[in-house]
Amino acid sequence: MINDLLEEIGSPETIGISGHIRPDGDCVGSVLGMYAYLTNAYKDAKIKIFLDQPPAIYSYMKGYDEVDTTFAYPGQFDVFIALDSGDVERIGDAAKLFLGAKKSICIDHHVSNSGYGDVFHIEPDASSTCEILTRMFKDEYMDVEVAKALYTGIAHDTGVFRYSCTGPDTFDALSRLVKYGFDATKITDETFYQKSYVQNQLLGRTLLESIIFMDGRCIAGYVDRKAMEFYEAKPSDFEGIVNQLQMTKGVEVAIFMYEIGTLEFKVSMRSNGKVNVAEVAEYFGGGGHVRAAGCNMNGTFHDVLNNLSLHIERQLDALEEKDAQAPV
Ligand code: AMP
Ligand code: MN
Ligand code: MN
């Protein structure tokens, strides 16, 4: 647990910041929000950001152009901070910088995070890493740039304040952020709702070819390598597809996957509450949250589905058994 972030950081000369591979809105928001905040707090420190190339939609954030995508750094950092990543492997090539730092700090909200680094602060009930940071940051070093970045992360991880992870503390954090005065609607419109033509084509295609099974309680769709190459799709082009699948009436679990290598899929799962998809993802070496989780899996689309559905069905059956035994 971190009580006072700046006290924990101390007075370093060098600070490194990173987040998980294939960064999403909460990852980019927390990393660049932290960067903007620490730039205000430590005027003389050298602060570096290491991250996979964030999508251009986030280029309005301070520090976007400072992102180092090479992960090359010859020295040792005094402090290195990992954000929004459930395990150290998920910060990719930044792991060696994190592990080699004099002090490593992890701040995260994944339920699958068992804690890594010298100091870690994990709030599995927080909607987003950006919500945690909003509570940690002091007024003194906050400004509109920090606020915009953190707002973005909260908006993304809550599906614009809609998912069940959104709670009173989320709105408290948001209320503090919007007071800095920025165009909040523009941020959600341009980074969350708006899709490129290709993204919409991929969404339409996936919905059209999706299959439902387990008596309509499960829905799944995928994009294979051939389609990815045809559309020149990037991983960020698939964001939101699994959530649209989840909006199918009667569905308990939605699964979306795309091929990252020959017969290797990046799997995304979303649950409407009954099934703990973090548990399923963890079984296959991934992780995430109870209602949103992911993992990488090998095999054909149908192999992967068979493996996943076994675990999903087991959870649903256990629930039904419990319901049947419950006194009426
Ligand atoms: P996604 O389906 O990629 O949007 O991810 C949903 C949640 O699960 C996010 O919080 C991710 O950080 C987490 N997650 C996704 N894939 C993995 C993975 N391979 N390992 C650990 N956590 C993951
Ligand atoms: Mn994330
Ligand atoms: Mn997050």
Side-chain angles (χ1 to χ4, degrees), residues 127-166:
S127 68
S128 51
T129 303
C130 283
E131 181 188 316
I132 303 173
L133 296 189
T134 306
R135 281 195 284 279
M136 280 187 177
F137 288 180
K138 290 187 171 135
D139 284 341
E140 203 179 339
Y141 305 112
M142 286 280 287
D143 61 19
V144 67
E145 297 301 334
V146 179
K148 275 197 298 197
L150 298 183
Y151 182 89
T152 307
I154 299 178
H156 276 248
D157 264 17
T158 58
V160 191
F161 329 124
R162 216 170 49 78
Y163 303 155
S164 64
C165 60
T166 316

Side-chain angles (χ1 to χ4, degrees), residues 20 24 26-27 84 108-110 127-130 157 289:
H20 63 76
D24 55 16
D26 187 34
C27 178
D84 196 41
D108 184 37
H109 70 124
H110 289 93
S127 68
S128 51
T129 303
C130 283
D157 264 17
H289 313 281

Side-chain angles (χ1 to χ4, degrees), residues 59-270:
S59 61
Y60 60 90
M61 290 187 210
K62 181 180 169 181
Y64 181 85
D65 294 328
E66 305 298 323
V67 173
D68 185 329
T69 57
T70 70
F71 297 88
Y73 188 75
Q76 181 190 32
F77 279 99
D78 291 335
V79 174
F80 202 97
I81 306 171
L83 298 165
D84 196 41
S85 184
D87 57 72
V88 72
E89 286 80 32
R90 268 181 64 79
I91 58 172
D93 290 337
K96 59 182 189 301
L97 300 173
F98 180 88
L99 296 169
K102 286 184 194 153
K103 185 170 192 172
S104 53
I105 301 175
C106 158
I107 304 170
D108 184 37
H109 70 124
H110 289 93
V111 66
S112 54
N113 192 334
S114 50
Y116 59 91
D118 298 322
V119 180
F120 46 83
H121 181 104
I122 299 143
E123 289 184 40
D125 291 333
S127 68
S128 51
T129 303
C130 283
E131 181 188 316
I132 303 173
L133 296 189
T134 306
R135 281 195 284 279
M136 280 187 177
F137 288 180
K138 290 187 171 135
D139 284 341
E140 203 179 339
Y141 305 112
M142 286 280 287
D143 61 19
V144 67
E145 297 301 334
V146 179
K148 275 197 298 197
L150 298 183
Y151 182 89
T152 307
I154 299 178
H156 276 248
D157 264 17
T158 58
V160 191
F161 329 124
R162 216 170 49 78
Y163 303 155
S164 64
C165 60
T166 316
D169 292 343
T170 318
F171 289 108
D172 281 349
L174 289 165
S175 144
R176 180 165 174 229
L177 296 175
V178 294
K179 283 183 190 129
Y180 285 90
F182 53 86
D183 194 339
T185 307
K186 187 173 155 74
I187 288 181
T188 46
D189 276 358
E190 293 182 3
T191 70
F192 190 87
Y193 292 113
Q194 210 175 74
K195 299 287 172 196
S196 67
Y197 181 56
V198 160
Q199 286 168 338
N200 272 334
Q201 280 185 306
L202 286 164
L203 168 70
R205 199 191 147 120
T206 309
L207 296 178
L208 197 68
E209 294 175 354
S210 66
I211 54 169
I212 54 169
F213 52 104
M214 277 163 55
D215 294 330
R217 292 176 302 172
C218 236
I219 188 165
Y222 77 115
V223 178
D224 64 13
R225 277 295 263 252
K226 232 171 74 193
M228 283 180 70
E229 276 160 25
F230 178 80
Y231 291 103
E232 293 180 14
K234 301 179 294 301
S236 56
D237 290 332
F238 303 120
E239 255 178 52
I241 295 183
V242 70
N243 306 87
Q244 192 57 49
L245 287 167
Q246 189 193 4
M247 298 291 271
T248 311
K249 198 167 176 184
V251 156
E252 286 301 335
V253 176
I255 302 168
F256 172 73
M257 57 184 105
Y258 63 91
E259 221 174 343
I260 49 173
T262 312
L263 293 181
E264 188 187 358
F265 287 93
K266 158 79 182 84
V267 177
S268 282
M269 286 178 281
R270 297 293 182 267

Side-chain angles (χ1 to χ4, degrees), residues 8-19:
E8 204 60 74
I9 294 176
S11 9
E13 284 174 16
T14 54
I15 307 173
I17 311 169
S18 188

